[in-house]
Amino acid sequence: AELKAVSGDLGAPYGPVLDGDFMPHQTWEGGAPAESAGVAMMIGNNTHEIVLFQPDFADPIADDAQLEQRFRAASFSPALSPEQYRGFLEGHRALQPTADRHHLLAAMTSDPAFFRDARQQADLKAAQNSGDVFLYECTWETPCFGGQWAVHAGEIPLVFGILSYESAWDGLDSDAARAAADPQNHQARLSREMMAAW
């Protein structure tokens, strides 16, 4: 059996295991899997996926040198030369000119892994021209890790209509914290819309 990461060049140890029976081949290598022909696909991510995977995310980022250190140490960060990193940072700053360093770090580490892979799979499925393809980005922000973040799996409670649950993510995201961050209860409307769409 071979273990291969879906996001291959990032070295993430998550991905399908080829067992010769249930998974006879690497499913997304060279195109959408033939088995998916005629099957609709929905794939997406949350805006700030990586925040959940960085236990020190709320720690201050004093300057751009520290931002680069945190980027290079972060889970799923691509390996970039100094020149590539500068261009990457400048590109993200141009897209988000008012973003603080925490938001830049979230984007610079979430986009190459989660958004890129979801987009690649959606493109491969669309090229198969057999079955609808839906690509989403969940921007719903919940209070955790020292701010408001659309974290990994943040859409799951909304998709299932579970708006009251024990503390989540960093242990501080609670019903009370979510209610204080959303006094008009927009999450209930969003949940209904998401359930209908899914």
Side-chain angles (χ1 to χ4, degrees):
E2 175 190 352
L3 179 65
K4 180 169 181 177
V6 172
S7 53
D9 64 327
L10 297 175
Y14 312 109
V17 175
L18 305 182
D19 65 356
D21 188 15
F22 292 102
M23 183 155 290
H25 59 90
Q26 189 65 32
T27 52
W28 291 93
E29 218 166 65
E35 300 88 346
S36 73
V39 179
M41 176 179 154
M42 181 184 290
I43 190 167
N45 61 281
N46 294 282
T47 304
H48 311 117
E49 290 275 354
I50 203 70
V51 172
L52 181 65
F53 299 96
Q54 299 303 126
D56 63 346
F57 198 84
D59 293 353
I61 305 175
D63 54 28
D64 281 359
Q66 199 170 68
L67 173 63
E68 182 174 0
Q69 289 173 346
R70 295 277 293 276
F71 170 82
R72 293 193 183 281
S75 301
F76 307 111
S77 285
L80 301 176
S81 70
E83 296 77 26
Q84 289 172 321
Y85 174 80
R86 280 193 296 278
F88 197 58
L89 174 59
E90 288 169 10
H92 275 83
R93 278 214 163 109
L95 289 171
Q96 303 176 69
T98 62
D100 61 27
R101 289 186 183 96
H102 280 95
H103 281 83
L104 286 170
L105 179 62
M108 291 168 62
T109 51
S110 297
D111 292 352
F114 295 91
F115 177 75
R116 183 198 64 185
D117 287 353
R119 177 61 189 262
Q120 283 178 342
Q121 284 186 272
D123 287 345
L124 290 170
K125 177 63 180 167
Q128 188 182 43
N129 201 28
S130 180
D132 292 334
V133 182
F134 303 93
L135 180 65
Y136 72 87
E137 178 182 6
C138 182
T139 62
W140 177 253
E141 296 179 350
T142 190
C144 59
F145 300 103
Q148 293 281 116
W149 302 105
V151 295
H152 183 72
E155 79 275 35
I156 302 302
L158 300 171
V159 169
F160 289 99
I162 301 170
L163 304 181
S164 179
Y165 48 92
E166 295 293 322
S167 64
W169 294 287
D170 63 352
L172 302 175
D173 182 307
S174 63
D175 285 346
R178 287 187 295 276
D182 180 23
Q184 295 177 323
N185 199 22
H186 291 300
Q187 66 178 332
R189 177 186 52 78
L190 178 59
S191 179
R192 287 191 302 273
E193 291 175 1
M194 290 176 74
M195 286 190 290
W198 284 48

